Amino acid sequence: MKFSSRHTERHRTDRTGWLRAAVLGANDGIVSTASLVVGVAAAHSSQGSILVAGVAGLVAGAMSMAAGEYVSVHSQADTEQADLSRERAELELDPVAEHRELTAIYVARGLEADLAQQVAEQLMAHDALGAHARDELGISETRSARPVQAALASAASFAVGAVLPLAVTALAPAQALIPWVSGTSLVFLALLGAVSAHAGGAGMLAGAWRVTFWGALAMAITAGVGALFGAVV
């Protein structure tokens, strides 16, 4: 029997790394910038001052997202590499024990002992480290940590998200700045939630509602703080 090497099914697990970083960045860009604009506007600042604060928030937020994402994902990558190095040493030191370990994993997943032993033997002959990384450690190529990719995706998506409320701030009339920024930002968040949910194969309505609710809460709290301090000043 001849098997085709082509795999025609489409899955979404290979998107999880960059999709998570991109959605998180864009969501933070919209929410934090819109909240900052609404909070400063509620303190009765001029439109020029609000724009300056918004731009500063965009730059600081994008750099913060990039640095935080890089450090976080790099820590994951370091852990993965340490586990792989340890596994490589164990394979060189006692391959028989590692074979038994892999066999036990397959038996626990439902294979008969003889079949599990054959599978472990063939997979280790093909790529012993890869088999143990995937089935013992849970490390695969599609889910491996990519710090630079995650940092760039977060920074770029944050900047794109932050530009949206800033553009509304620049174009909206000063006397109606808060409702314009708040309303359009909620629309942006709903669209982001729906699109990201669709890309990940989840329900679009639930995704839209989730990010919109928390965005509205953040803007409401920030507007309250801005109005309180603005009244005091």
Side-chain angles (χ1 to χ4, degrees):
M1 182 181 294
K2 183 178 180 180
F3 293 95
S4 173
S5 61
R6 297 183 61 186
H7 186 66
T8 57
E9 293 182 5
R10 297 181 61 187
H11 299 285
R12 294 180 172 88
T13 53
D14 59 338
R15 305 177 183 177
T16 54
W18 65 263
L19 182 60
R20 181 190 65 84
V23 170
L24 179 63
N27 182 78
D28 278 3
I30 297 172
V31 172
S32 63
T33 306
S35 298
L36 178 62
V37 166
V38 169
V40 175
H44 309 294
S45 301
S46 65
Q47 194 163 4
S49 298
I50 296 171
L51 276 173
V52 170
V55 172
L58 184 156
V59 175
M63 296 307 298
S64 176
M65 286 291 295
E69 195 73 22
Y70 181 83
V71 171
S72 174
V73 179
H74 209 295
S75 297
Q76 178 187 343
D78 291 341
T79 302
E80 290 178 356
Q81 290 303 315
D83 283 343
L84 289 174
S85 296
R86 179 180 178 180
E87 195 64 34
R88 187 181 292 108
E90 291 176 350
L91 284 168
E92 293 177 357
L93 182 65
D94 194 351
V96 175
E98 291 301 301
H99 177 269
R100 287 198 300 267
E101 187 176 32
L102 199 61
T103 299
I105 291 173
Y106 297 144
V107 169
R109 291 181 181 177
L111 294 183
E112 296 181 356
D114 291 341
L115 179 58
Q117 185 173 358
Q118 293 177 29
V119 171
E121 182 178 349
Q122 292 186 27
L123 288 178
M124 288 186 65
H126 174 69
D127 182 6
L129 182 61
H132 280 269
R134 180 179 60 254
D135 296 323
E136 180 184 351
L137 304 177
I139 300 174
S140 64
E141 183 178 353
T142 58
R143 297 188 177 184
S144 61
R146 296 179 175 86
V148 175
Q149 182 192 60
L152 292 176
S154 293
S157 58
F158 182 96
V160 171
V163 162
L164 299 175
L166 280 180
V168 176
T169 303
L171 297 174
Q175 63 273 17
L177 192 61
I178 292 179
W180 268 96
V181 172
S182 301
T184 55
S185 295
L186 291 178
V187 172
F188 296 147
L189 287 171
L191 290 174
L192 172 65
V195 170
S196 60
H198 177 70
M204 296 175 65
L205 184 60
W209 162 249
R210 191 162 46 234
V211 297
T212 303
F213 171 79
W214 290 107
L217 182 62
M219 284 185 279
I221 293 174
T222 311
V225 172
L228 177 64
F229 282 91
V232 172
V233 173

PDB file of all heavy atoms in Angstrom, residues 59-72:
ATOM      1  N   VAL A  59       4.249  54.581  22.097  1.00  0.00           N
ATOM      2  CA  VAL A  59       5.667  54.212  22.025  1.00  0.00           C
ATOM      3  C   VAL A  59       6.076  53.382  23.236  1.00  0.00           C
ATOM      4  O   VAL A  59       6.710  52.321  23.113  1.00  0.00           O
ATOM      5  CB  VAL A  59       6.547  55.472  21.911  1.00  0.00           C
ATOM      6  CG1 VAL A  59       8.028  55.093  21.954  1.00  0.00           C
ATOM      7  CG2 VAL A  59       6.236  56.230  20.632  1.00  0.00           C
ATOM      8  N   ALA A  60       5.704  53.869  24.420  1.00  0.00           N
ATOM      9  CA  ALA A  60       6.074  53.153  25.639  1.00  0.00           C
ATOM     10  C   ALA A  60       5.424  51.775  25.688  1.00  0.00           C
ATOM     11  O   ALA A  60       6.066  50.784  26.066  1.00  0.00           O
ATOM     12  CB  ALA A  60       5.660  53.972  26.863  1.00  0.00           C
ATOM     13  N   GLY A  61       4.164  51.707  25.289  1.00  0.00           N
ATOM     14  CA  GLY A  61       3.460  50.428  25.328  1.00  0.00           C
ATOM     15  C   GLY A  61       4.026  49.415  24.355  1.00  0.00           C
ATOM     16  O   GLY A  61       4.169  48.236  24.686  1.00  0.00           O
ATOM     17  N   ALA A  62       4.355  49.868  23.143  1.00  0.00           N
ATOM     18  CA  ALA A  62       4.915  48.949  22.147  1.00  0.00           C
ATOM     19  C   ALA A  62       6.253  48.387  22.602  1.00  0.00           C
ATOM     20  O   ALA A  62       6.517  47.187  22.483  1.00  0.00           O
ATOM     21  CB  ALA A  62       5.067  49.659  20.810  1.00  0.00           C
ATOM     22  N   MET A  63       7.106  49.257  23.146  1.00  0.00           N
ATOM     23  CA  MET A  63       8.411  48.790  23.627  1.00  0.00           C
ATOM     24  C   MET A  63       8.252  47.869  24.834  1.00  0.00           C
ATOM     25  O   MET A  63       8.960  46.869  24.975  1.00  0.00           O
ATOM     26  CB  MET A  63       9.280  49.990  23.987  1.00  0.00           C
ATOM     27  CG  MET A  63       9.627  50.887  22.807  1.00  0.00           C
ATOM     28  SD  MET A  63      10.371  49.969  21.419  1.00  0.00           S
ATOM     29  CE  MET A  63      11.864  49.331  22.188  1.00  0.00           C
ATOM     30  N   SER A  64       7.315  48.209  25.709  1.00  0.00           N
ATOM     31  CA  SER A  64       7.079  47.368  26.883  1.00  0.00           C
ATOM     32  C   SER A  64       6.559  45.989  26.481  1.00  0.00           C
ATOM     33  O   SER A  64       6.994  44.967  27.022  1.00  0.00           O
ATOM     34  CB  SER A  64       6.081  48.060  27.813  1.00  0.00           C
ATOM     35  OG  SER A  64       5.764  47.226  28.910  1.00  0.00           O
ATOM     36  N   MET A  65       5.642  45.978  25.518  1.00  0.00           N
ATOM     37  CA  MET A  65       5.110  44.702  25.044  1.00  0.00           C
ATOM     38  C   MET A  65       6.201  43.845  24.422  1.00  0.00           C
ATOM     39  O   MET A  65       6.288  42.636  24.675  1.00  0.00           O
ATOM     40  CB  MET A  65       4.000  44.949  24.027  1.00  0.00           C
ATOM     41  CG  MET A  65       2.685  45.440  24.616  1.00  0.00           C
ATOM     42  SD  MET A  65       1.828  44.195  25.600  1.00  0.00           S
ATOM     43  CE  MET A  65       1.444  42.985  24.332  1.00  0.00           C
ATOM     44  N   ALA A  66       7.043  44.470  23.589  1.00  0.00           N
ATOM     45  CA  ALA A  66       8.113  43.728  22.926  1.00  0.00           C
ATOM     46  C   ALA A  66       9.089  43.151  23.946  1.00  0.00           C
ATOM     47  O   ALA A  66       9.462  41.972  23.885  1.00  0.00           O
ATOM     48  CB  ALA A  66       8.842  44.635  21.942  1.00  0.00           C
ATOM     49  N   ALA A  67       9.510  43.999  24.899  1.00  0.00           N
ATOM     50  CA  ALA A  67      10.471  43.538  25.899  1.00  0.00           C
ATOM     51  C   ALA A  67       9.879  42.445  26.778  1.00  0.00           C
ATOM     52  O   ALA A  67      10.515  41.413  27.035  1.00  0.00           O
ATOM     53  CB  ALA A  67      10.916  44.722  26.757  1.00  0.00           C
ATOM     54  N   GLY A  68       8.643  42.657  27.239  1.00  0.00           N
ATOM     55  CA  GLY A  68       8.017  41.668  28.105  1.00  0.00           C
ATOM     56  C   GLY A  68       7.784  40.342  27.407  1.00  0.00           C
ATOM     57  O   GLY A  68       8.032  39.279  27.981  1.00  0.00           O
ATOM     58  N   GLU A  69       7.322  40.420  26.161  1.00  0.00           N
ATOM     59  CA  GLU A  69       7.067  39.190  25.408  1.00  0.00           C
ATOM     60  C   GLU A  69       8.366  38.449  25.115  1.00  0.00           C
ATOM     61  O   GLU A  69       8.434  37.216  25.210  1.00  0.00           O
ATOM     62  CB  GLU A  69       6.344  39.522  24.109  1.00  0.00           C
ATOM     63  CG  GLU A  69       5.720  38.334  23.410  1.00  0.00           C
ATOM     64  CD  GLU A  69       4.485  37.817  24.122  1.00  0.00           C
ATOM     65  OE1 GLU A  69       3.877  38.577  24.885  1.00  0.00           O
ATOM     66  OE2 GLU A  69       4.141  36.638  23.907  1.00  0.00           O
ATOM     67  N   TYR A  70       9.420  39.195  24.771  1.00  0.00           N
ATOM     68  CA  TYR A  70      10.705  38.562  24.463  1.00  0.00           C
ATOM     69  C   TYR A  70      11.263  37.841  25.694  1.00  0.00           C
ATOM     70  O   TYR A  70      11.698  36.694  25.612  1.00  0.00           O
ATOM     71  CB  TYR A  70      11.697  39.611  23.970  1.00  0.00           C
ATOM     72  CG  TYR A  70      13.042  39.024  23.610  1.00  0.00           C
ATOM     73  CD1 TYR A  70      13.257  38.449  22.358  1.00  0.00           C
ATOM     74  CD2 TYR A  70      14.094  39.019  24.531  1.00  0.00           C
ATOM     75  CE1 TYR A  70      14.489  37.887  22.029  1.00  0.00           C
ATOM     76  CE2 TYR A  70      15.314  38.465  24.203  1.00  0.00           C
ATOM     77  CZ  TYR A  70      15.510  37.902  22.956  1.00  0.00           C
ATOM     78  OH  TYR A  70      16.720  37.343  22.652  1.00  0.00           O
ATOM     79  N   VAL A  71      11.260  38.535  26.831  1.00  0.00           N
ATOM     80  CA  VAL A  71      11.796  37.938  28.050  1.00  0.00           C
ATOM     81  C   VAL A  71      10.984  36.711  28.453  1.00  0.00           C
ATOM     82  O   VAL A  71      11.539  35.662  28.809  1.00  0.00           O
ATOM     83  CB  VAL A  71      11.808  38.977  29.189  1.00  0.00           C
ATOM     84  CG1 VAL A  71      12.152  38.308  30.522  1.00  0.00           C
ATOM     85  CG2 VAL A  71      12.806  40.086  28.886  1.00  0.00           C
ATOM     86  N   SER A  72       9.660  36.841  28.386  1.00  0.00           N
ATOM     87  CA  SER A  72       8.789  35.736  28.781  1.00  0.00           C
ATOM     88  C   SER A  72       8.986  34.506  27.899  1.00  0.00           C
ATOM     89  O   SER A  72       9.180  33.388  28.386  1.00  0.00           O
ATOM     90  CB  SER A  72       7.331  36.195  28.731  1.00  0.00           C
ATOM     91  OG  SER A  72       6.456  35.123  28.970  1.00  0.00           O
TER      92      SER A  72
END
